[in-house]
Amino acid sequence: MARILIIIPTYNEQANIASIVARVRASVPAADVLVVDDSSPDGTGVLADTLASTDSQVHALHRSRKSGLGAAYLEAFTWGLSRGYDRLVQLDADGSHLPEQLPTLLEAAESADVVLGSRWVPGGMVRNWPWPRRLLSRGGSVYSRVLLRLPQRDVTGGYRVYTAHALERMDLTSVDSLGYCFQIDMLLHAVRAGLSVVEKPITFVDRTLGSSKMSPSIVAEAMARVTIWGLTGRNARRSAAAAPASVPRVH
């Protein structure tokens, strides 16, 4: 049986973390959970330690400062690969990614290297987003798809499953996007590495507790980077030259 690690990055998610961990554990009881906290001042990390102390399948990884979603995931991938996990899942702490849909995504990972939980394929949907936010997200995805020649419809979504094989092929040392652009960067690396990528429809639900870390300036910065990548082909050339395995795995 595949060993599964659900990675949940956090920053000031004290109101959400206990609930989301409980839902993950109920949806995929065999999976382990790794909470990656960027020194949240609201006590999220302390609560993560409490959860870990009462459940051997929950772990807490503490980072010294807030340095971006991408940095947290990259450190978590290294943590998981070094411990022999076969499937590594990205899942937001705020409840926007429904843990109840995990079994469907994990089933798809049995025959694909990367599984994208997609809002923009038939059957996918977004709840409780105002139309400007919906337009911004979908427009950013379309822009990135066209400029980077990516066939996937939802290139910015963060609900994903990577196999260990995929992460070892993607040259994670060359992924240098730490913020909103991280998801696009990772997908671009996966496609350039020749990995099989499938999309499965999900329902994305806007958070009800806490505050979003997204802002127009973050999105603008991401689109600027995508424009540079598209015009220069930098990532395509770099990924094509990457070694087949960049993250060591301990058995």
Side-chain angles (χ1 to χ4, degrees), residues 34-210:
L34 177 65
V35 178
V36 187
D37 186 64
D38 276 10
S39 296
S40 297
D42 73 343
T44 302
V46 175
L47 181 52
D49 282 336
T50 300
L51 297 173
S53 70
T54 59
D55 187 340
S56 63
Q57 287 178 246
V58 177
H59 310 274
L61 178 62
H62 299 277
R63 290 162 43 77
S64 61
R65 61 188 178 89
K66 187 175 185 290
S67 56
L69 182 70
Y73 271 128
L74 290 173
E75 187 167 337
F77 291 152
T78 301
W79 189 98
L81 290 172
S82 70
R83 287 161 176 79
Y85 288 96
D86 305 293
R87 308 279 189 272
L88 296 93
V89 182
Q90 296 182 180
L91 186 140
D92 284 353
D94 61 10
S96 57
H97 299 154
L98 302 180
E100 293 74 20
Q101 295 182 319
L102 276 168
T104 299
L105 300 184
L106 289 166
E107 181 181 3
E110 294 178 6
S111 57
D113 297 312
V114 181
V115 180
L116 309 180
S118 180
R119 300 159 292 183
W120 312 127
V121 296
M125 65 183 70
V126 174
R127 291 180 182 168
N128 305 329
W129 260 9
W131 71 263
R133 179 80 183 271
R134 189 187 299 259
L135 182 63
L136 181 65
S137 177
R138 194 156 195 172
S141 193
V142 170
Y143 181 79
S144 301
R145 286 176 55 207
V146 172
L147 205 61
L148 301 176
R149 301 179 184 177
L150 291 169
Q152 291 76 28
R153 297 183 65 84
D154 191 345
V155 306
T156 62
Y159 200 0
R160 300 180 175 185
V161 182
Y162 292 97
T163 64
H165 166 76
L167 292 173
E168 290 168 345
R169 285 281 304 275
M170 286 167 59
D171 185 26
L172 297 183
T173 60
S174 69
V175 177
D176 55 9
S177 303
L178 302 182
Y180 181 72
C181 206
F182 173 75
Q183 311 296 3
I184 304 170
D185 201 355
M186 286 288 289
L187 178 58
L188 186 60
H189 274 67
V191 171
R192 297 293 187 260
L195 299 169
S196 59
V197 181
V198 300
E199 295 186 270
K200 302 297 289 186
I202 62 166
T203 299
F204 183 97
V205 182
D206 197 18
R207 69 160 65 231
T208 57
L209 296 173

Side-chain angles (χ1 to χ4, degrees), residues 20-36:
I20 203 71
V21 168
R23 289 169 62 190
V24 168
R25 295 286 290 116
S27 297
V28 191
D32 287 354
V33 177
L34 177 65
V35 178
V36 187

